Amino acid sequence: MLKKTDQIYVAGHNGLVGSSLIRLLEKNGFTNVITRSSNELDLTVEADTDDFFKKEEIDFVFLSAAKVGGIMANFTYPAEFLYKNLKIQTNVIHCAYKYGINKLLFLGSSCIYPKNCPQPIKEEYLLSGLPEPTNEPYAIAKIAGIKMCQAYNKQYKTNFISVMPTNLYGYNDNFDPESSHVLPALIRKFHEARHGNQEMVTIWGTGQPKREFLFVDDLADACLFLMLNYNSSEIINIGTGKDIQISELAEMIKTIVGYEGKIVYDRTKPDGTPEKLLDVSKLHALGWKHKTSLKEGIEKTYEWYLKSI
């Protein structure tokens, strides 16, 4: 059982998910939260990771450290996405076993599922087909992390759980035009178009694909809930159970930002997976549901973005 005085290591605390976990843990009175920036500790280096775990008496680990990005980043840097994510998760998971931590939560991703999955996507659909080509290296790395957690549970009787969040957004998101995901990318595009008096905003693809979006503070809440209440090797989805067409999302963000120009779709660019909606009935049955609506979440995220620029 996770106690308020336990040593909790949040790997990747400066990222979108990690920073949200830190806020939540502090808000809930957990007093021994351990963090290291990538400058202080390079988790791709086995010896450094081992030395860190050896020195710190860690009880619980939230493994949210990862190299992440949108379609363009995955397309441009496939080797980095595969290599860095394999190294990070291999080193942390092995050290968690080696130094006897109580429990580890591994953050996977909904992109691990096959491209042409039946909808909504159930946990058992993993490895039932080929992944979406545009993010295959990242998906392969994350699947390896899941299988590593399951293998260590089987062989060493560890308590490592793996959660599969849907598309995330929120405070501390990445708004870089070269590497961001669709929602923060659209916030920035519409904001810059509004303030630059641009007549149109161009969006990749047809606008037809559907996506599910979860506010990151809801994800952090779900992760803490599962750390306290879930102890199975079987993966578990985290999402809202609702999706939206990219064209509808664009119109919503356009309205929130206050942009009045046109939206144009560049059909020469890839759409990615046609639809990706998670089946969250397993999580709902445990007693957890998301709290933040998409509109409310985007408004909060845009407010944060305005303060950060």
Side-chain angles (χ1 to χ4, degrees):
M1 183 66 181
L2 179 58
K3 300 188 294 293
K4 296 292 171 79
T5 53
D6 282 331
Q7 291 262 60
I8 304 167
Y9 172 44
V10 178
H13 74 285
N14 284 322
L16 174 65
V17 176
S19 59
S20 183
L21 281 166
I22 294 292
R23 288 194 301 272
L24 181 68
L25 290 168
E26 289 177 349
K27 180 183 173 183
N28 281 275
F30 291 93
T31 54
N32 289 318
V33 180
I34 303 168
T35 61
R36 292 290 186 279
S37 69
S38 55
N39 291 330
E40 294 171 308
L41 173 62
D42 185 348
L43 293 172
T44 66
V45 180
E46 183 179 358
D48 292 353
T49 309
D50 188 278
D51 189 52
F52 167 70
F53 271 84
K54 188 188 297 180
K55 287 177 180 175
E56 301 289 344
E57 295 181 358
I58 298 167
D59 299 303
F60 292 84
V61 174
F62 288 95
L63 179 43
S64 62
K67 180 172 176 61
V68 297
I71 289 177
M72 186 184 290
N74 275 271
F75 180 79
T76 311
Y77 307 108
E80 281 186 44
F81 275 87
L82 190 56
Y83 174 79
K84 288 190 174 180
N85 285 306
L86 283 172
K87 293 283 279 186
I88 290 167
Q89 64 204 31
T90 299
N91 291 338
V92 174
I93 292 167
H94 184 70
C95 284
Y97 148 69
K98 185 176 177 181
Y99 293 101
I101 69 116
N102 295 339
K103 190 172 182 179
L104 176 144
L105 183 145
F106 173 66
L107 264 294
S109 167
S110 59
C111 78
I112 62 167
Y113 290 112
K115 177 177 180 177
N116 298 310
C117 250
Q119 301 291 319
I121 303 169
K122 295 179 183 290
E123 287 88 352
E124 55 263 35
Y125 296 163
L126 181 62
L127 295 176
S128 62
L130 295 173
E132 159 61 40
T134 55
N135 63 18
E136 184 184 61
Y138 180 73
I140 293 296
K142 286 296 182 182
I143 291 167
I146 293 163
K147 292 300 176 184
M148 188 173 181
C149 286
Q150 292 173 341
Y152 275 57
N153 288 346
K154 183 178 180 181
Q155 186 171 341
Y156 301 126
K157 310 304 177 192
T158 50
N159 188 6
F160 297 165
I161 64 172
S162 299
V163 304
M164 302 305 117
T166 190
N167 299 289
L168 302 170
Y169 70 99
Y171 309 133
N172 210 29
D173 211 335
N174 171 22
F175 293 87
D176 186 288
E178 299 296 315
S179 60
S180 59
H181 288 100
V182 61
L183 195 151
L186 288 176
I187 287 176
R188 178 167 178 166
K189 274 193 173 189
F190 283 117
H191 174 79
E192 291 183 347
R194 179 191 170 194
H195 289 273
N197 296 313
Q198 296 171 26
E199 291 183 4
M200 65 179 68
V201 165
T202 303
I203 296 172
W204 274 31
T206 63
Q208 298 306 301
K210 289 184 171 182
R211 290 290 181 273
E212 176 185 16
F213 296 96
L214 179 69
F215 189 55
V216 71
D217 283 10
D218 283 348
L219 171 70
D221 188 64
C223 286
L224 181 56
F225 174 84
L226 291 168
M227 188 66 102
L228 293 167
N229 298 288
Y230 189 71
N231 298 294
S232 170
S233 281
E234 298 305 313
I235 64 175
I236 185 163
N237 290 336
I238 303 178
T240 64
K242 302 171 185 176
D243 60 9
I244 185 171
Q245 207 163 47
I246 294 298
S247 57
E248 292 177 68
L249 175 71
E251 292 291 346
M252 185 184 288
I253 295 173
K254 175 184 171 182
T255 301
I256 289 168
V257 171
Y259 175 66
E260 295 180 349
K262 290 193 302 182
I263 297 174
V264 177
Y265 291 92
D266 182 355
R267 294 171 183 269
T268 65
K269 296 293 192 293
D271 266 338
T273 309
E275 187 175 11
K276 197 169 68 172
L277 175 66
L278 294 183
D279 184 319
V280 290
S281 55
K282 191 172 170 181
L283 182 57
H284 284 178
L286 289 173
W288 187 91
K289 290 187 178 180
H290 77 287
K291 300 177 181 72
T292 312
S293 71
L294 183 58
K295 182 173 180 290
E296 181 191 352
I298 294 171
E299 287 170 346
K300 287 181 175 181
T301 304
Y302 183 50
E303 191 178 320
W304 182 90
Y305 174 72
L306 290 175
K307 289 176 183 174
S308 71
I309 55 175

